Amino acid sequence: MRKRYLITFGIVLFILVIDQVIKFWIKTSFAFDDPSVPLIGEWLQLNFVENQGMAFGTQLGGGMWGKLTLSIFRVVMIGAIIYYILKQIKKPDVKLEFLIVSAMVLAGAAGNLFDSMFYDFIFRDYFDPCISYNQVEGSGIFSECSYFGYTEMVEVRHRGFLFGNVVDMFQFNVIWPSWVPWLGGGQVFPAIWNVADFAISCGMILVLLRQKIYFPKEKTSKE
């Protein structure tokens, strides 16, 4: 059982470290308006953005309450996932692969939550109210921005614990062929993502594909 604990939470720590190291590097090395940097040919690029939402920029409402609700939801879900994993580890017939997959989902959720919890404190000097991802209509918090000599007041997001933006950086640059109906010429997957998003997605996909292996039905004896 000790081996299961070490492997499961070792994978969580490993993914978290990779996720945060890349985010710190992106945050301190790139600017919002920097051009995309090719990683693997032209189809995988670095494109620094920040968002207030979930995986791939999905948001839960808008403004302060949407962000706060999302962050609290993350905390509750992470607690539930940890509780579930601890229960599964104690089962004698649990598959190690399932524990690894669960660890991927937990690490991904925790990685994005870390951004929301602490990045507004760690990167205080990087907050720029004139950048679009720091502006939230209806927040009630105003800041002065100057554009080419023209000054205007803009509404900016709340800052602090649980309000930080999530840092994203990877983007697939793959275009649908022009002959594909409705989609031709558009990007196959336009969302920009990070290691945490990737871990969550891979974990959930594996659970769906291998659920019969992870959750085998108990054979009932015929009377």
Side-chain angles (χ1 to χ4, degrees):
M1 187 177 295
R2 183 183 178 186
K3 180 180 178 182
R4 294 177 183 173
Y5 280 106
L6 290 175
I7 292 175
T8 302
F9 291 100
I11 289 172
V12 172
L13 181 61
F14 178 72
I15 295 174
L16 271 175
V17 169
I18 292 178
D19 178 63
Q20 291 302 312
V21 166
I22 293 176
K23 286 175 177 176
F24 270 63
W25 173 61
I26 291 291
K27 189 79 171 172
T28 56
S29 303
F30 291 81
F32 172 70
D33 55 354
D34 282 349
S36 300
V37 178
L39 281 180
I40 302 177
E42 291 294 331
W43 66 270
L44 181 61
Q45 301 179 340
L46 276 180
N47 188 4
F48 170 45
V49 299
E50 295 188 18
N51 74 77
Q52 298 185 57
M54 297 182 283
F56 309 114
T58 306
Q59 295 193 27
L60 185 63
M64 179 188 74
W65 293 111
K67 176 63 177 180
L68 185 59
T69 301
L70 173 59
S71 295
I72 294 174
F73 173 76
R74 279 192 178 123
V75 172
V76 173
M77 287 304 300
I78 288 172
I81 294 172
I82 292 174
Y83 176 76
Y84 179 76
I85 289 176
L86 292 176
K87 287 189 65 177
Q88 293 301 310
I89 288 176
K90 295 177 182 178
K91 293 183 178 180
D93 58 342
V94 67
K95 290 181 169 51
L96 182 59
E97 180 186 334
F98 177 64
L99 294 177
I100 293 173
V101 168
S102 300
M104 293 169 63
V105 176
L106 173 59
N112 285 336
L113 177 64
F114 188 91
D115 298 18
S116 297
M117 293 173 70
F118 303 116
Y119 273 26
D120 275 356
F121 302 103
I122 297 172
F123 300 105
R124 295 184 67 88
D125 295 337
Y126 285 81
F127 180 83
D128 185 349
C130 300
I131 295 177
S132 59
Y133 56 66
N134 284 322
Q135 297 179 18
V136 178
E137 186 177 348
S139 68
I141 304 174
F142 290 88
S143 183
E144 186 178 276
C145 286
S146 297
Y147 305 97
F148 305 105
Y150 171 73
T151 301
E152 68 172 343
M153 301 298 291
V154 297
E155 288 185 286
V156 297
R157 66 180 177 86
H158 289 75
R159 297 186 63 198
F161 186 68
L162 296 179
F163 285 103
N165 284 334
V166 174
V167 178
D168 294 327
M169 71 292 296
F170 298 115
Q171 185 175 31
F172 290 115
N173 186 31
V174 182
I175 307 299
W176 288 104
S178 58
W179 50 264
V180 177
W182 300 292
L183 300 174
Q187 285 188 301
V188 173
F189 188 74
I192 303 175
W193 45 280
N194 56 40
V195 172
D197 297 336
F198 184 73
I200 293 173
S201 300
C202 288
M204 296 305 297
I205 290 171
L206 284 170
V207 168
L208 291 174
L209 293 178
R210 297 178 63 79
Q211 57 181 313
K212 291 184 179 180
I213 296 174
Y214 297 156
F215 313 109
K217 293 182 179 180
E218 296 182 1
K219 296 181 180 179
T220 56
S221 56
K222 296 181 180 179
E223 296 183 357

